[in-house]
Amino acid sequence: MAAVAATASHIHSRSSGHRALGLASLGLAAVHLLVLALLPHNVWWVLALGAMTLWCLKCSWCVLRRGSPLSLLSMSALMGSCHVAMVIGLPWFAGHHHNHSGHAATHASLMLGIAVAEFLLMYGAAWLSRIDQDREIQAQYGKSISAPI
């Protein structure tokens, strides 16, 4: 009876962590769509934002279905880095702000805010991945990898 209760608790807590992370990722995808709709971008940046959003939706769907959060971790790390690169004008991203007179001065702050959200999502995915890994090892070997040896 206790084993059944422990398994049910494991499934519930795992699903709630996945649900929270998946919903946060969906929220960030919605923010990308909002930025796309409200701010002027050329065709290449529209395609890039569209690709970012589709990738975000794909990873969200995977996490919501209790899949591994590692793809979400990779995606959010890359997207957060890209947003920072666009703001500071690194190569391949230099034209995004310096040559766009249509962007308001607050656009850089908005993009840095999105980068912070991407990095928070990345850390959440890393945390959830670690918890999932620890639970799998604990279920298989009866001990936790987080516990001191």
Side-chain angles (χ1 to χ4, degrees), residues 24-122:
S25 181
L26 285 175
L28 200 51
V31 169
H32 280 96
L33 289 176
L34 189 63
V35 167
L36 185 61
L38 296 178
L39 299 173
H41 291 89
N42 68 27
V43 158
W44 298 111
W45 287 111
V46 168
L47 292 174
L49 272 167
M52 286 174 158
T53 303
L54 288 175
W55 195 5
C56 198
L57 291 173
K58 178 243 173 227
C59 292
S60 300
W61 179 252
C62 177
V63 171
L64 282 170
R65 299 193 69 207
R66 288 155 193 75
S68 172
L70 291 178
S71 63
L72 181 62
L73 187 150
S74 301
M75 183 273 305
S76 56
L78 179 64
M79 293 304 134
S81 300
C82 286
H83 281 91
V84 171
M86 284 184 261
V87 170
I88 62 176
L90 291 177
W92 298 297
F93 299 104
H96 189 70
H97 282 281
H98 300 295
N99 295 334
H100 277 118
S101 59
H103 287 306
T106 58
H107 187 79
S109 299
L110 174 66
M111 287 185 55
L112 285 176
I114 292 173
V116 167
E118 293 280 8
F119 291 136
L120 287 173
L121 203 60
M122 176 191 72

Side-chain angles (χ1 to χ4, degrees), residues 4-20:
V4 172
T7 303
S9 172
H10 165 72
I11 291 170
H12 177 69
S13 62
R14 180 174 178 172
S15 65
S16 62
H18 282 78
R19 187 177 313 115

Side-chain angles (χ1 to χ4, degrees), residues 13-14 17-18 21 63 69 123-133:
S13 62
R14 180 174 178 172
H18 282 78
L21 190 63
V63 171
Y123 286 116
W127 175 73
L128 186 60
S129 178
R130 175 65 178 192
I131 288 173
D132 286 351
Q133 180 185 25

